[in-house]
């Protein structure tokens, strides 16, 4: 189903069945079968994924038939902001906030919209997000002399 959502192609069941002997199979928490390449590294199940800022319409979000695995009720909820270049912030692999960068008068400002701490967050989660945000600003606005970051509202 994920392959179909990602590619838009139908009739992939036969292709997957031909590939099955060369794939590693798993079962998710809901019992659904998951497939992967046999030599892919597997982290320890307790390994936390670092915060990541995904761009608008990122394939990681759009390529899943069942997006609830990523959203898991952890996002900021409605109304979903509209506008130019609104991305997704993942914390430990799950959707947690929206973000955007606005460049104006020599300042690039990263706004993280409606992030809320969760009981599973470590004590340094905001610092980890800020560090990744600093790297994001350096990457997407390298020629802007000043970089700022704001959480709205403040966590």
């Amino acid at each position: 189903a994920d392959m179909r959502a990602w590619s838009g192609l139908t009739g992939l069941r036969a292709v997957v069945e031909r590939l099955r002997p060369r794939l590693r199979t798993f079962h998710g928490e809901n019992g659904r079968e998951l497939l992967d390449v046999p030599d892919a590294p597997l982290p320890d199940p307790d390994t936390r994924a670092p915060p990541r800022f995904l761009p608008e319409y990122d394939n990681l979000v759009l390529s899943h038939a069942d997006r609830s695995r990523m959203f898991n009720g952890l996002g900021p909820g409605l109304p979903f902001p509209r506008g130019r270049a609104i991305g997704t912030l993942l914390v430990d692999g799950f959707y947690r906030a929206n973000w955007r960068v606005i460049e104006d008068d020599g300042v690039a400002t990263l706004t993280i919209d409606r992030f809320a701490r969760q009981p599973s967050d470590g004590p340094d989660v905001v610092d980890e997000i800020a560090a990744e945000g600093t790297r994001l600003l350096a990457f997407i606005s390298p020629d802007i002399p000043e970089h700022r970051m704001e959480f709205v509202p403040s966590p």
Side-chain angles (χ1 to χ4, degrees):
D2 290 340
M3 290 170 56
R4 183 175 51 251
W6 173 79
S7 68
L9 298 173
T10 59
L12 292 174
R13 185 172 303 278
V15 173
V16 170
E17 289 307 317
R18 282 195 312 271
L19 291 172
R20 183 176 292 283
R22 296 183 290 182
L23 299 174
R24 183 189 293 174
T25 60
F26 302 92
H27 286 87
E29 292 175 3
N30 63 357
R32 183 174 174 214
E33 183 179 47
L34 305 171
L35 304 168
D36 202 350
V37 293
D39 298 329
L42 295 175
D44 182 282
D46 294 328
T47 302
R48 295 186 59 80
R52 292 293 183 245
F53 289 89
L54 303 180
E56 183 178 27
Y57 302 118
D58 187 80
N59 192 38
L60 180 66
V61 176
L62 299 177
S63 65
H64 290 88
D66 177 9
R67 295 182 185 129
S68 67
R69 291 180 296 187
M70 180 172 301
F71 291 96
N72 202 27
L74 295 176
L78 297 174
F80 193 81
R82 299 183 187 275
R84 190 169 167 261
I86 295 171
T88 302
L89 170 64
L90 301 183
V91 174
D92 199 24
F94 291 97
Y95 170 68
R96 296 290 293 283
N98 301 305
W99 67 271
R100 71 173 164 225
V101 172
I102 295 177
E103 297 175 352
D104 186 37
D105 199 26
V107 178
T109 303
L110 168 61
T111 301
I112 300 164
D113 182 28
R114 295 180 284 162
F115 171 77
R117 289 179 178 271
Q118 297 294 317
S120 61
D121 288 341
D124 299 329
V125 69
V126 173
D127 292 337
E128 292 167 359
I129 293 168
E132 184 69 4
T134 298
R135 290 186 288 272
L136 173 69
L137 283 166
F139 177 72
I140 65 174
S141 300
D143 299 327
I144 304 296
E146 185 178 345
H147 294 162
R148 295 181 187 162
M149 191 175 329
E150 62 183 9
F151 286 80
V152 179
S154 180

